[in-house]
């Protein structure tokens, strides 16, 4: 009887482990699918309330697993990044990087994309913290850094009045539903982070809905 009891317990643990692995892998699979199969459309919406800089934090909270319907990005401010020139360092095979560049250019940004073999070299050059990194790194002619899928709205707001202790903004990882990461009707809440000169980070804006990106 003891032998059969142990066998049952072992099989139960094995099944539980497989279920847990499936739960952990699902959000990552969705992110990868969104990056490789972007589906950008446009729709009108009202601008969101201006954000405030929150208390500095040492780590970024992981995006919530909850997925909600997304209203596509609007192009109601097509010149919000006018007269701003940048270089975007990206991998040649990154589809979502290309989508973000197109999105930013649609808001007036003058972008020069450079396909590089090792994007991490440029992230290190421009002092992007490891936990803030995403797929592409954007650098303005003034040396400000925008890492990942940062909405045009917050790029323009930052550049209009850059905090004295900051080098730029970052959207860590590749949140589904962020600019350039549109996938079907999905949206995952995320944070826009401020990168400071001393290597510290702070929350610049919390994006809980697609409309806040516009």
């Amino acid at each position: 009887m003891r032998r059969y009891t142990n066998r049952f317990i072992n099989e139960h643990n094995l099944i539980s482990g497989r279920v847990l692995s499936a739960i952990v892998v699902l959000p990552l699979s969705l992110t990868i699918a969104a990056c490789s199969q972007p589906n950008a459309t446009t729709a009108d919406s009202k601008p969101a309330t201006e954000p405030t800089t929150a208390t500095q934090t040492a780590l970024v909270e992981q995006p919530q697993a909850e997925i909600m319907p997304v209203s596509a990005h609007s192009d109601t401010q097509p010149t919000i990044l006018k007269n701003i020139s940048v270089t975007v360092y990206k991998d040649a095979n990154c589809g979502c990087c290309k989508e973000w560049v197109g999105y930013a250019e649609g808001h007036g940004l003058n972008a020069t994309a450079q396909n590089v073999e090792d994007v991490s070299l440029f992230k290190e050059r421009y002092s992007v913290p490891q936990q803030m990194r995403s797929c592409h790194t954007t650098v303005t002619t003034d040396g400000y850094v925008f890492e990942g899928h940062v909405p045009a709205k917050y790029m323009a707001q930052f550049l209009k009045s850059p905090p004295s202790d900051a080098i730029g903004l970052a959207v860590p990882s590749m949140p589904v539903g962020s600019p350039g990461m549109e996938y079907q009707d999905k949206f995952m809440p995320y944070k826009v982070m401020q990168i400071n000169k001393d290597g510290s980070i702070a929350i610049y804006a919390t994006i809980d809905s697609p409309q806040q990106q516009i």
Side-chain angles (χ1 to χ4, degrees), residues 20-69:
L20 180 58
S21 297
I23 293 174
V24 172
V25 169
L26 179 57
L28 178 59
S29 300
L30 182 57
T31 298
I32 293 174
C35 184
S36 60
Q37 301 179 33
N39 182 23
T41 55
T42 56
D44 293 330
S45 182
K46 296 181 179 180
T49 304
E50 292 296 321
T52 57
T53 303
T55 304
Q56 180 175 311
T57 179
L59 295 174
V60 185
E61 297 179 3
Q62 293 297 322
Q64 300 177 18
E66 179 184 1
I67 302 296
M68 61 183 69

Side-chain angles (χ1 to χ4, degrees), residues 75-84 103-104 106-109 151-157 159 213-214:
D75 202 21
T76 56
Q77 297 174 304
T79 61
I80 194 172
L81 295 176
K82 185 179 179 181
N83 298 325
I84 298 174
Y103 154 85
H107 286 76
L109 187 68
K153 169 183 177 179
Y154 297 108
M155 288 183 64
Q157 178 176 294
L159 292 172
Q213 303 176 124
I214 301 171

Side-chain angles (χ1 to χ4, degrees), residues 27-28 31 60-67 131 171-176 178 187-191 207-208:
L28 178 59
T31 298
V60 185
E61 297 179 3
Q62 293 297 322
Q64 300 177 18
E66 179 184 1
I67 302 296
Q131 70 270 33
V171 171
S173 190
M174 296 176 286
V176 177
S178 60
F187 177 81
M188 183 177 291
Y190 64 94
K191 300 182 188 306
I207 314 300
D208 292 320

Side-chain angles (χ1 to χ4, degrees), residues 86-214:
V86 303
T87 299
V88 182
Y89 300 98
K90 69 181 193 66
D91 185 279
N93 299 315
C94 181
C96 60
C97 297
K98 182 178 179 180
E99 289 294 319
W100 183 87
V101 171
Y103 154 85
E105 289 178 332
H107 286 76
L109 187 68
N110 179 18
T112 300
Q114 288 194 12
N115 296 324
V116 297
E117 293 185 2
D118 189 353
V119 293
S120 65
L121 296 178
F122 295 89
K123 299 177 191 302
E124 292 173 4
R125 176 185 298 179
Y126 294 105
S127 303
V128 180
Q130 187 69 39
Q131 70 270 33
M132 293 291 99
R133 297 183 180 184
S134 182
C135 50
H136 59 272
T137 301
T138 302
V139 183
T140 70
T141 53
D142 293 330
Y144 289 109
V145 181
F146 296 93
E147 177 73 8
H149 296 261
V150 181
K153 169 183 177 179
Y154 297 108
M155 288 183 64
Q157 178 176 294
F158 179 93
L159 292 172
K160 183 177 181 180
S161 182
S164 60
D165 58 342
I167 64 171
L169 301 177
V171 171
S173 190
M174 296 176 286
V176 177
S178 60
M181 279 296 296
E182 295 87 353
Y183 180 66
Q184 297 179 359
D185 62 346
K186 309 299 183 183
F187 177 81
M188 183 177 291
Y190 64 94
K191 300 182 188 306
V192 178
M193 303 300 297
Q194 177 178 309
I195 305 174
N196 296 320
K197 294 177 181 178
D198 62 1
S200 63
I201 55 177
I203 298 174
Y204 188 81
T206 298
I207 314 300
D208 292 320
S209 69
Q211 289 72 29
Q212 287 179 272
Q213 303 176 124
I214 301 171

